Amino acid sequence: TLFNYLTRAGVFAQDLLFATLDTTMRRIKLPSGREVILSDTVGFISDLPHELVMSFRSTLEEVIEASIIVHVRDVSNKASKAQQKDVLDVLHHLGLQNIEHGMQYLEVLNKKDLLTEPEIKVLDTQIKKHLDSVVVISALTGEGCDDLLKLLDQRLSLQNQKLLVKIPLSDGKAKSLIYEYAEVKSQQEEEENFVFEISTSAKNLKKLKKLLPDYIV
């Protein structure tokens, strides 16, 4: 439901086991104008045997490679904390140890619309110290989704690396690659070169180094 709200994708969404069997990806634009790929993975199941975790591993590659993992859970469910542990156990099993304590992890507490006012007040108190890593939303009404997008934007900006790049004025392809894989903070002409001040993720920087080995060092 959240994926559909953010992307207008119309993906099948039901409270059914294995309602999502394949990863769905859509491009969305964050408040800063930064474009990202949002990937909706399969749901996790408690006490999943090791053999099944391995069989799902190819489907979960997007989780392992993600710049940010957004863990969406039903905050109205009495078993919500147990479900959180189940998901973290699977992530740890996939090799993402202590992921919940890093910049790569965000928690989205969904279904705020099902909470009573007293429950919302208690929840607000509980997450007061974690506003940089937890956001409360209703995917059904859209409440809190703007805050989620802003938080994603902030996290990605903090993860990004900043550097200067010089490319010849005549190399239009290199210029287009810079704009494709980085956020351009400034661009100036200096003699026969473009000088870019860019901000990009470690993953995209690795791609740029491979695509533009003469310019990115």
Side-chain angles (χ1 to χ4, degrees):
T1 304
L2 176 59
F3 186 84
N4 285 338
Y5 182 88
L6 296 177
T7 68
R8 305 294 187 261
V11 175
F12 177 70
Q14 287 291 335
D15 186 13
L16 297 172
L17 190 63
F18 299 125
T20 303
L21 283 173
D22 297 307
T23 301
T24 304
M25 293 184 284
R26 293 289 188 278
R27 186 184 298 271
I28 65 169
K29 188 172 287 189
L30 297 178
S32 67
R34 184 201 321 269
E35 288 192 340
V36 297
I37 300 295
L38 195 65
S39 177
D40 179 30
T41 72
V42 299
F44 292 178
I45 301 170
S46 59
D47 302 320
L48 193 63
H50 175 79
E51 296 77 15
L52 280 180
V53 171
M54 290 301 99
S55 69
F56 274 108
R57 191 178 180 92
S58 60
T59 309
L60 294 171
E61 285 298 323
E62 284 80 9
V63 177
I64 299 170
E65 296 295 327
S67 299
I68 296 180
I69 293 171
V70 181
H71 178 192
V72 184
R73 60 187 177 99
D74 178 359
V75 73
S76 72
N77 191 316
K78 300 304 180 185
S80 186
K81 290 297 290 184
Q83 292 171 342
Q84 177 194 37
K85 182 181 182 301
D86 290 336
V87 169
L88 291 175
D89 285 347
V90 174
L91 291 177
H92 296 164
H93 202 85
L94 291 169
L96 299 172
Q97 301 297 328
N98 298 316
I99 185 71
E100 64 272 25
H101 302 301
M103 292 295 294
Q104 196 184 352
Y105 180 86
L106 284 180
E107 196 164 41
V108 174
L109 306 183
N110 188 29
K111 301 193 181 182
K112 181 182 179 180
D113 53 291
L114 297 182
L115 299 180
T116 64
E117 284 301 321
E119 287 173 331
I120 291 173
K121 287 182 180 178
V122 170
L123 183 62
D124 286 343
T125 302
Q126 290 174 342
I127 69 168
K128 208 166 188 177
K129 295 180 180 179
H130 307 283
L131 295 178
D132 61 341
S133 59
V134 179
V135 60
V136 182
I137 71 160
S138 167
L140 190 64
T141 68
E143 183 181 358
C145 288
D146 287 344
D147 294 333
L148 170 59
L149 293 177
K150 289 175 185 175
L151 194 53
L152 283 170
D153 227 350
Q154 291 169 9
R155 277 293 180 89
L156 288 170
S157 293
L158 290 171
Q159 287 182 3
N160 280 0
Q161 301 182 42
K162 297 176 176 63
L163 65 154
L164 290 175
V165 181
K166 287 185 180 182
I167 63 171
L169 295 175
S170 59
D171 197 337
K173 183 178 180 181
K175 181 180 178 181
S176 67
L177 287 170
I178 291 293
Y179 274 93
E180 181 177 354
Y181 289 106
E183 180 183 354
V184 176
K185 298 293 187 180
S186 67
Q187 174 189 324
Q188 296 180 336
E189 289 188 26
E190 183 182 280
E191 297 179 349
E192 298 182 352
N193 296 311
F194 284 121
V195 179
F196 293 98
E197 180 185 0
I198 67 171
S199 173
T200 189
S201 66
K203 187 187 298 184
N204 281 345
L205 180 58
K206 188 175 179 180
K207 290 179 182 177
L208 283 172
K209 285 181 176 180
K210 186 175 181 180
L211 293 167
L212 305 173
D214 297 331
Y215 307 139
I216 309 289
V217 295

